[in-house]
Amino acid sequence: MIRELLFGFLLIHSSLAKHLHVHPGNNKPTRRTRLQAITGPGPGPGKKWLTLHGREPLVIAQGGFPGLFPDSSGAGYAAAIAMGVIGTLKYCNLQLTKDNLGVCLPNVKLDNCTNAATRFPKHQRRYSVNGRDIDGWFPLDFTIDEIMKEIRLIQNIYSRASVFDFVYPLLQPDSVFGMEPKGHLWLNVQNDAFWSSHQLNVIRYIDESKQYFVADYISSPEIGFLQAMAASKTFDRIKTKLVFRFLTVVEVEPTYKETYGALLKKLAMIKTFASGIFVPKNYVWPIGKDGYLQPATTLVADAHREGLEVYVAGFASDTFSSYNYSYDPEVEYLQFIDNSQFSADGVVTEFPGSASNAIACLAQSPKPTKKVVDALIISHNGASIDYPGCTDLAYKKAINDGADIIDCNVQMTKDGVAFCLDSADLLGKTNAAMAFMDRSTSVPEIQPKNGVFTFDVTWTEIKSVKPLIQNPFQSGGLLRNPKSKNAGTFLKVPEFLELAKKNASTGILIGIQNAAYLASKKGLDILQSVNEALKNAKLNPKQQILIQSDDTSILEKFKNSNPTYQRVLLFSKPISDAPKPVTDNIKKYADAVNVVKKSIMPESKIYITNGATKIVEQMHAANISVYVSGFSTETLSMQLDFYSDPYIELVSFIAEGIDGVITDNPKTASAFLRSPCVDPNSKAAFVFQPIKPGDYLAQVEPTVLPPASTPIPPLRVTDVVDPPLPPVNAAARKEADSDKSGGGSESGQRRMAVDVVATMLLLIVVFFLMGC
């Protein structure tokens, strides 16, 4: 059965070679022919590590791949083997049954990781575990036959996918060990004292199981167990290493009755019975209360000095760690294994694919100037994951991080100044809510909700407010770089172009929307402002210039006046099908399209990809490039089958043949596209592995699936072609100028009144707090 699970999982990846080719009829070159040669060593051999013995850090797959599958499931272990580097260790947290046989489970209790409570409602018990009374269902109250026949695994972290619950049986260590021709197993014994108090014997179980498996590593937080294991006549130090596991610094080790924090000072004593230590991440890189890294401790160096290897635990790509990593999980691994001071000897992770990517593909990588795959990296509001979007700091970081194109969505102020901002609404992007509370209006032509719009305030007023970093996943608890939440300044379009001009290798994307409204209702000519700025900038002829709009009439204007610019038609909502009459019409106006990720890989209601569309094939057949927007590194920005890994997501979209990614985090996209692991023809032992859209959904029991979403209808020509732009309304412009020169006093008085009220309310709150 285990081998069937492994075979089934590997089938998901088996069509990779075919999948990386674009479809027949596509006149774009295939991805394979678009790969460019790079110089320098590839991943793997030749790297020098600061580990104890100079070897590559180990990847220890904690419970398999619990980021998607239930912890300790056969599918999870199979996923770890398929997506991990060679030699990935399968981590089994050992629990014992009534008949002194072992099973792999994340917890000493069954009820939070299996369906034992519903299958055996009368088996609830209370036991003392490490001095604490715990209620629940425990393996020691069941025989191995009862567990294997009646109990199934469920996801033990409720924020993760539950679609694979009740499918997989529990596994014994020998089954996990036997999933590979040469088994690799890490056995963790968390509660030996508990088992011993109930006349169960872990050492006897391990000894009697030698004909079925031999663990490469055995870890435990109990010194007494490890000393007894080391003293056992049947223990083989050559085949198995013993590792002492540290719990939190305040918890007490049951043998010596000292805190684990105190035992940190006794590494020489630990070396007498163990070859390594197993520690939480904050033992190595502490994180302050503000969420930022503090200086590294000397633990790794101290342990290496005593001859102890150091294994670091607590890695999970779907949980927040530190703002320093910008939510890129691979960057966090590199912090522990690829810095100039030290390298951990291994990482214990719930996402072994990400750890493998970091070690094999990104650590100690040569930094070639050329990308391995010829796809554009286009920023979204600059490096907006690190700084407020569309500010000088966001754009400068995007350039430094390797963006090919930096973007400026042009907005117009009341006094006709063109500047860069994601949308015409200042709310959410600045602290304008208080400053311009009285300017909030409804403009249905722009958006359905009220807003404070740039065309209702002057440039001087906009400069008086602070930028605000956008947090698109704040509802999920994911904030972006709070220390810089108001950093940077907004740029006028000429200032943006001047910044790009200083970096001749960086192109620009100018986004234009709402031109018809601005011309007819506000008397503002956004096209003229953009054209004048571009003309005056005198950019390097080699710099790429992209003009983007959701309005074909705007793109047509630039086609006639500036044919060298690449025109990009924006589709801000998902599209599913573009028949030839539609693509023929798109080609009349645009050279490329910008579509959201769901247009390439639709999303099911359980947040797993639901196959792939033919949008890329259809656009390429009309010689239209495809850029895809919506990329970021927060786990909530990705569908579940990408394993919360931006590199797996990127390689999966590149495998579909897209021509560029539009991302909040250009640094991650740049590291990915410049890694030799992106080349499927590489002879290296490990490369980035894409998922095949829809394959995971096919593994889900149909009975647990919600009703399918209503299909998105195919695009029609009328969905694409827009009417001509209206002329600029001179009367509206004159009225705005009049308001600017003197007619705006009533508005100013209203704002002053609001400011007074707000100030009074603030003072009341302050006095109230002082009184408390």
Side-chain angles (χ1 to χ4, degrees):
M1 176 181 176
I2 300 304
R3 297 191 182 281
E4 290 175 358
L5 285 170
L6 175 59
F7 180 72
F9 183 86
L10 292 175
L11 280 177
I12 293 175
H13 301 275
S14 64
S15 59
L16 176 60
K18 292 182 181 179
H19 192 59
L20 291 176
H21 287 84
V22 292
H23 297 280
N26 177 358
N27 60 1
K28 290 269 182 179
T30 65
R31 180 189 172 208
R32 292 181 185 273
T33 60
R34 290 163 64 197
L35 295 170
Q36 301 174 6
I38 64 166
T39 58
K47 294 185 176 182
K48 295 181 180 179
W49 299 94
L50 297 178
T51 53
L52 178 61
H53 300 295
R55 291 191 288 266
E56 183 176 280
L58 289 173
V59 176
I60 300 105
Q62 182 176 336
F65 219 131
L68 181 59
F69 300 102
D71 195 304
S72 306
S73 66
Y77 286 120
I81 296 169
M83 303 190 73
V85 291
I86 294 172
T88 293
L89 283 159
K90 302 178 295 295
Y91 175 103
C92 166
N93 197 41
L94 181 67
Q95 314 295 341
L96 293 182
T97 63
K98 181 188 294 186
D99 36 3
N100 205 65
L101 292 173
V103 292
C104 301
L105 275 175
N107 196 280
V108 71
K109 295 201 308 175
L110 289 165
D111 39 308
N112 69 337
C113 54
T114 75
N115 63 346
T118 54
R119 295 294 295 164
F120 297 95
K122 296 182 180 180
H123 277 57
Q124 185 177 17
R125 301 287 186 271
R126 172 175 290 183
Y127 289 112
S128 176
V129 182
N130 294 333
R132 291 184 298 121
D133 289 340
I134 299 176
D135 294 318
W137 283 254
F138 295 81
L140 59 81
D141 292 317
F142 299 87
T143 65
I144 193 67
D145 285 342
E146 289 175 319
I147 284 178
M148 299 303 292
K149 291 178 181 178
E150 301 292 336
I151 297 176
R152 292 295 179 266
L153 293 164
I154 62 174
Q155 181 58 261
N156 64 320
I157 296 179
Y158 300 127
S159 60
R160 292 176 177 170
S162 60
V163 294
F164 298 109
D165 286 359
F166 314 113
V167 175
Y168 304 109
L170 280 69
L171 298 179
Q172 295 179 262
D174 59 300
S175 296
V176 177
F177 180 84
M179 292 178 74
E180 300 172 272
K182 184 180 179 182
H184 299 282
L185 185 67
W186 182 300
L187 205 63
N188 183 62
V189 181
Q190 194 74 6
N191 299 293
D192 177 68
F194 172 68
W195 306 120
S196 298
S197 68
H198 293 277
Q199 289 72 55
L200 298 173
N201 192 309
V202 174
I203 294 178
R204 187 175 78 238
Y205 164 71
I206 292 173
D207 189 44
E208 291 174 351
S209 300
K210 280 187 175 180
Q211 60 180 312
Y212 304 108
F213 74 89
V214 175
D216 299 85
Y217 294 81
I218 296 176
S219 61
S220 176
E222 298 181 15
I223 292 176
F225 167 74
L226 292 174
Q227 289 176 329
M229 193 80 215
S232 172
K233 294 180 180 180
T234 58
F235 176 67
D236 189 336
R237 285 181 175 271
I238 297 175
K239 292 183 178 180
T240 303
K241 292 184 177 182
L242 297 180
V243 179
F244 178 54
R245 180 172 189 173
F246 282 80
L247 303 182
T248 64
V249 292
V250 297
E251 290 184 80
V252 176
E253 192 278 325
T255 306
Y256 273 58
K257 307 300 181 184
E258 294 186 66
T259 65
Y260 289 96
L263 289 170
L264 276 176
K265 300 175 183 178
K266 298 184 178 182
L267 295 177
M269 180 272 293
I270 292 170
K271 176 61 180 172
T272 62
F273 60 85
S275 64
I277 58 174
F278 173 178
V279 299
K281 290 186 299 184
N282 63 356
Y283 274 51
V284 178
W285 282 101
I287 296 174
K289 292 181 180 180
D290 60 358
Y292 291 89
L293 285 176
Q294 296 179 338
T297 69
T298 60
L299 176 61
V300 176
D302 295 342
H304 283 178
R305 194 178 303 113
E306 297 293 342
L308 290 165
E309 294 176 317
V310 180
Y311 301 95
V312 183
F315 293 92
S317 304
D318 59 351
T319 58
F320 172 76
S321 183
S322 169
Y323 296 115
N324 297 77
Y325 306 132
S326 300
Y327 294 98
D328 184 329
E330 274 79 342
V331 172
E332 180 180 18
Y333 291 110
L334 295 176
Q335 188 77 18
F336 286 83
I337 56 94
D338 189 27
N339 62 72
S340 60
Q341 303 171 55
F342 60 83
S343 173
D345 298 276
V347 291
V348 183
T349 173
E350 298 181 8
F351 290 79
S354 298
S356 298
N357 290 343
I359 292 170
C361 299
L362 300 172
Q364 304 182 31
S365 292
K367 300 189 183 300
T369 55
K370 264 196 165 184
K371 299 194 296 287
V372 180
V373 172
D374 188 19
L376 285 178
I377 302 169
I378 304 172
S379 74
H380 175 242
N381 303 328
S384 52
I385 198 164
D386 294 309
Y387 292 104
C390 303
T391 59
D392 57 338
L393 295 180
Y395 288 129
K396 288 175 182 177
K397 190 169 192 303
I399 293 169
N400 292 334
D401 287 348
D404 299 306
I405 306 287
I406 55 173
D407 66 309
C408 169
N409 283 299
V410 181
Q411 309 302 333
M412 299 295 293
T413 66
K414 186 176 183 177
D415 48 349
V417 175
F419 74 107
C420 303
L421 193 66
D422 189 40
S423 74
D425 187 1
L426 290 167
L427 298 181
K429 305 163 194 70
T430 69
N431 63 346
M434 287 297 294
F436 305 125
M437 192 181 297
D438 62 325
R439 310 285 184 91
S440 179
T441 56
S442 173
V443 183
E445 297 95 327
I446 305 294
Q447 64 185 34
K449 62 180 181 179
N450 283 14
V452 175
F453 297 99
T454 63
F455 43 74
D456 289 330
V457 296
T458 66
W459 176 243
T460 300
E461 289 174 314
I462 286 177
K463 287 194 297 180
S464 71
V465 299
K466 292 181 179 179
L468 186 64
I469 200 166
Q470 290 182 264
N471 293 297
F473 307 104
Q474 185 171 0
S475 61
L478 303 182
L479 299 178
R480 293 178 171 180
N481 196 12
K483 282 186 177 179
S484 299
K485 66 179 181 180
N486 298 122
T489 57
F490 292 124
L491 300 179
K492 293 186 286 187
V493 172
E495 294 170 332
F496 168 81
L497 296 175
E498 186 62 29
L499 177 63
K501 187 177 178 180
K502 293 177 182 177
N503 300 272
S505 61
T506 305
I508 61 165
L509 181 148
I510 298 293
I512 303 173
Q513 292 179 268
N514 308 316
Y517 176 83
L518 292 171
S520 62
K521 300 297 177 67
K522 298 295 178 178
L524 294 169
D525 192 340
I526 189 172
L527 269 68
Q528 181 182 353
S529 297
V530 169
N531 273 317
E532 286 182 358
L534 287 168
K535 181 181 178 181
N536 295 334
K538 295 185 170 68
L539 295 174
N540 189 315
K542 294 182 179 180
Q543 287 183 283
Q544 288 181 276
I545 299 176
L546 282 62
I547 302 296
Q548 175 178 280
S549 182
D550 58 355
D551 191 326
T552 54
S553 61
I554 293 174
L555 299 181
E556 186 175 30
K557 293 273 188 182
F558 281 94
K559 178 181 180 180
N560 297 331
S561 62
N562 302 94
T564 60
Y565 297 169
Q566 186 183 79
R567 288 157 288 113
V568 183
L569 183 60
L570 171 66
F571 290 94
S572 56
K573 294 182 179 180
I575 59 176
S576 63
D577 186 32
K580 190 174 185 301
V582 175
T583 57
D584 288 344
N585 271 275
I586 291 174
K587 186 59 184 175
K588 293 177 183 178
Y589 303 97
D591 308 296
V593 293
N594 173 358
V595 299
V596 297
K597 291 189 293 187
K598 292 179 185 178
S599 297
I600 309 301
M601 297 186 196
E603 181 183 281
S604 68
K605 288 185 176 180
I606 57 172
Y607 308 109
I608 294 178
T609 57
N610 188 17
T613 68
K614 294 184 177 180
I615 290 296
V616 175
E617 176 187 356
Q618 292 167 329
M619 295 296 175
H620 282 181
N623 200 28
I624 299 169
S625 297
V626 180
Y627 305 138
V628 179
S629 59
F631 288 96
S632 188
T633 40
E634 291 104 333
T635 181
L636 295 179
S637 72
M638 291 170 257
Q639 298 181 60
L640 292 172
D641 36 359
F642 296 122
Y643 297 103
S644 298
D645 189 299
Y647 296 83
I648 295 174
E649 182 185 44
L650 284 165
V651 76
S652 300
F653 275 88
I654 291 294
E656 293 295 321
I658 68 172
D659 302 284
V661 297
I662 302 173
T663 174
D664 294 1
N665 194 339
K667 186 175 183 178
T668 292
S670 180
F672 164 75
L673 288 171
R674 287 174 168 81
S675 169
C677 287
V678 78
D679 182 358
N681 295 322
S682 170
K683 294 181 181 179
F686 186 88
V687 294
F688 292 126
Q689 299 183 58
I691 65 147
K692 187 175 180 185
D695 272 3
Y696 287 88
L697 191 64
Q699 313 302 315
V700 179
E701 288 290 332
T703 54
V704 306
L705 292 174
S709 303
T710 304
I712 301 170
L715 276 178
R716 299 168 298 175
V717 173
T718 53
D719 298 326
V720 172
V721 180
D722 296 291
L725 287 174
V728 175
N729 186 338
R733 180 78 236 134
K734 188 175 180 181
E735 182 180 345
D737 289 340
S738 174
D739 286 345
K740 185 173 64 175
S741 61
S745 59
E746 183 180 346
S747 172
Q749 290 167 1
R750 287 200 309 271
R751 191 169 82 254
M752 184 178 295
V754 170
D755 289 345
V756 170
V757 172
T759 302
M760 292 296 294
L761 289 172
L762 181 61
L763 288 172
I764 291 170
V765 171
V766 170
F767 283 129
F768 174 76
L769 291 174
M770 290 175 66
C772 293

